[in-house]
Amino acid sequence: MYFKSQASDLVISCLVCVVVAGVALAAAPDFEASGRETVAELSTRSFDKVIARFDETMTQRLPREKLALAWGSVIGQFGEFQSITTVRVREVPAQGVYVVELTSAFEKAPLLIRLAFNDAGRIAGLFFLPVAPPAAGGTPPPYADPSTFIEIPISVGPFKLPGTLSMPRGPAHVPSVVLVHGSGPHDRDETIGPNKVFRDLAWGLASRNIAVLRYDKRSLLVPLKEGTVKEEVTEDASAAVDVLASQPGIAAGKVFVLGHSLGGTLAPRIAAANPKVGGIIIMAGTTRQIEDIILEQVRYLKGAESREMAAAEEFARRVRDPQLRADATIDVMGAPMPAAYWLDLRAYRSAEVAASLRIPMLVLQGERDYQVRMADFEGWKNAVDGRRYATLKSYPSLNHLFIAGIGDSKPEEYFRPGHVDPQVIADIVYWIQRQ
């Protein structure tokens, strides 16, 4: 749940999102009309009119200058707004909000603008989410054979998160994997630009007799009321493990958790809390403190003397403050977040938790990854290398999405179509088969 604004390519998530808050609904005004009007006001930079639609929490958390920065980030990445192409309105009873999703055409790529409304018709949440064009990423990766598995709709956890179980057609009892997203409001495919990291993984593994459960992240569907990784990631990931373990045809004791980016960082925590986890696969997980990684990313992308670097240093200072209170708010590169989120991560030591586990562990890292560096991979090595249950491997040509490339990795690389490297699929399959 990294909330981002102008420096939207600086934090671990590859998406843009703005902090949200939800309240109960009692009535349903014309939400579609309000959504269309809000987008029109954003497109003309009428930010005062947009803010006039906010509820009290959003007014405090997203003042005019920060809304302008967020919209400027959108324009910088996607070009100028052109038109609204589709609108979808749905009620989310668990959070007491109505959600309006406006798929919109921009100069460079389509964008989903998601608005959450309270009972008074006030905006209680705002998201900007990249959308893959219909033709982009639609081709299965070369290592996937859709004829060898079926896909079954599954719901996960108390929020009934929509998910998909890719189930092999072959053996009666198969090993299985739960996919856990990186930061940001990801869909079940972990769609980033035209690329679908989790769909590649699911189809590649299911083609080789490994069942895979992937699901839409809670923050994709509803505004999060709480501000820690429990609500963002671990609670639903553990529920997904329980759901998968209960499915017919799933081998007992062979349910693995595969986490990417933030999901990889938290994979040891998920396993430590749920005895049904038979092993973990960490893809680009961090072993260092998140504020250090954000500083590193900003320096890499914007330079040590940039305005963004100064903001990142102030953010890091606040996070490290020993007097930081959970009820405080921290500005993260132009967007506010609850301090409780950072206190939770500050107290968590991923490598130490991993070292305490006695389950199989596979750690994978792309050497061209600018978001999670080889220093983190070394952290995993220092914690678990040499232990019988741990396997570690890095890939010289792969980026944060485990897609091959050359030269220095940059955010725009994520918007070029590609697939998770076949060697990654092969290595995961081989490792699971050995367990």
Side-chain angles (χ1 to χ4, degrees):
M1 190 176 55
Y2 292 123
F3 302 105
K4 305 183 320 181
S5 60
Q6 184 176 14
S8 60
D9 53 359
L10 304 181
V11 192
I12 288 179
S13 170
C14 303
L15 305 178
V16 181
C17 67
V18 178
V19 68
V20 297
V23 293
L25 275 181
D30 190 346
F31 296 113
E32 177 176 342
S34 295
R36 288 181 177 275
E37 291 165 3
T38 301
V39 172
E41 290 160 0
L42 285 169
S43 69
T44 58
R45 276 85 166 171
S46 302
F47 301 123
D48 291 333
K49 292 182 179 180
V50 176
I51 290 171
R53 299 177 181 274
F54 285 176
D55 69 2
E56 183 177 353
T57 302
M58 282 291 288
T59 300
Q60 293 174 355
R61 293 184 172 181
L62 198 63
R64 189 186 192 285
E65 62 273 15
K66 291 182 178 178
L67 177 61
L69 284 173
W71 186 252
S73 174
V74 168
I75 299 305
Q77 289 190 60
F78 296 91
E80 290 293 338
F81 170 83
Q82 294 179 330
S83 64
I84 296 170
T85 55
T86 64
V87 180
R88 178 190 179 206
V89 181
R90 57 189 174 84
E91 184 180 6
V92 185
Q95 287 287 298
V97 295
Y98 280 87
V99 175
V100 181
E101 297 175 325
L102 304 105
T103 305
S104 303
F106 285 70
E107 285 180 316
K108 298 178 183 178
L111 187 74
L112 178 68
I113 301 174
R114 175 177 292 139
L115 296 161
F117 289 92
N118 66 14
D119 59 339
R122 295 290 182 181
I123 295 173
L126 171 62
F127 293 89
F128 302 114
L129 304 170
V131 178
T139 303
Y143 42 75
D145 183 356
S147 70
T148 62
F149 60 90
I150 60 173
E151 297 212 295
I152 304 167
I154 295 284
S155 65
V156 171
F159 286 84
K160 306 298 182 185
L161 303 176
T164 301
L165 173 61
S166 300
M167 190 71 187
R169 295 180 182 274
H173 293 88
V174 296
S176 59
V177 173
V178 169
L179 303 182
V180 183
H181 324 72
S183 61
H186 287 292
D187 65 15
R188 74 195 70 183
D189 291 336
E190 205 179 44
T191 301
I192 299 171
N195 301 299
K196 297 179 179 292
V197 176
F198 277 8
R199 194 190 67 173
D200 285 357
L201 289 168
W203 288 9
L205 299 179
S207 298
R208 290 156 179 80
N209 293 320
I210 298 169
V212 181
L213 173 60
R214 64 197 196 273
Y215 56 93
D216 292 342
K217 198 171 177 182
R218 188 189 304 187
S219 58
L220 179 73
L221 303 176
V222 298
L224 294 179
K225 292 183 178 180
E226 303 294 334
T228 73
V229 291
K230 175 186 176 184
E231 292 77 20
E232 185 195 6
V233 179
T234 62
E235 193 171 64
D236 295 325
S238 186
V241 169
D242 293 339
V243 168
L244 185 55
S246 69
Q247 298 300 307
I250 299 300
K254 299 285 188 179
V255 178
F256 300 91
V257 166
L258 185 159
H260 176 230
S261 196
L262 180 63
T265 303
L266 296 171
R269 182 166 169 175
I270 296 164
N274 192 327
K276 294 178 184 176
V277 178
I280 57 175
I281 302 165
I282 298 167
M283 296 179 65
T286 63
T287 54
R288 297 174 293 155
Q289 294 300 101
I290 297 296
E291 65 270 18
D292 294 330
I293 291 168
I294 292 177
L295 285 170
E296 188 175 75
Q297 289 181 18
V298 175
R299 189 177 297 110
Y300 174 78
L301 292 170
K302 299 296 182 179
E305 304 301 323
S306 64
R307 180 184 63 177
E308 292 85 356
M309 192 66 200
E313 289 170 345
E314 173 59 19
F315 152 74
R317 185 194 65 77
R318 289 288 314 280
V319 170
R320 294 166 180 159
D321 183 357
Q323 304 302 316
L324 182 63
R325 293 167 50 93
D327 59 357
T329 299
I330 293 181
D331 187 271
V332 187
M333 307 304 293
M337 281 186 66
Y341 185 92
W342 300 99
L343 288 170
D344 185 15
L345 285 176
R346 193 172 81 178
Y348 173 57
R349 298 291 184 269
S350 56
E352 293 177 14
V353 176
S356 72
L357 300 175
R358 294 297 180 267
I359 58 175
M361 187 179 311
L362 175 64
V363 182
L364 305 177
Q365 175 70 36
E367 295 181 19
R368 292 180 59 251
D369 188 342
Y370 76 86
Q371 294 186 252
V372 178
R373 299 293 189 106
M374 289 299 290
D376 295 286
F377 186 66
E378 291 299 318
W380 297 114
K381 287 179 68 175
N382 293 336
V384 301
D385 196 19
R387 303 196 182 192
R388 177 179 55 82
Y389 56 83
T391 303
L392 299 95
K393 183 173 181 179
S394 66
Y395 304 85
S397 67
L398 303 190
N399 63 16
H400 189 62
L401 309 187
F402 287 81
I403 296 174
I406 58 174
D408 294 338
S409 181
K410 295 288 186 179
E412 52 267 26
E413 181 180 12
Y414 300 164
F415 288 85
R416 293 198 293 267
H419 291 295
V420 172
D421 193 82
Q423 189 59 54
V424 173
I425 303 296
D427 289 339
I428 295 172
V429 170
Y430 177 73
W431 179 83
I432 289 177
Q433 290 174 342
R434 289 181 57 201
Q435 310 311 316

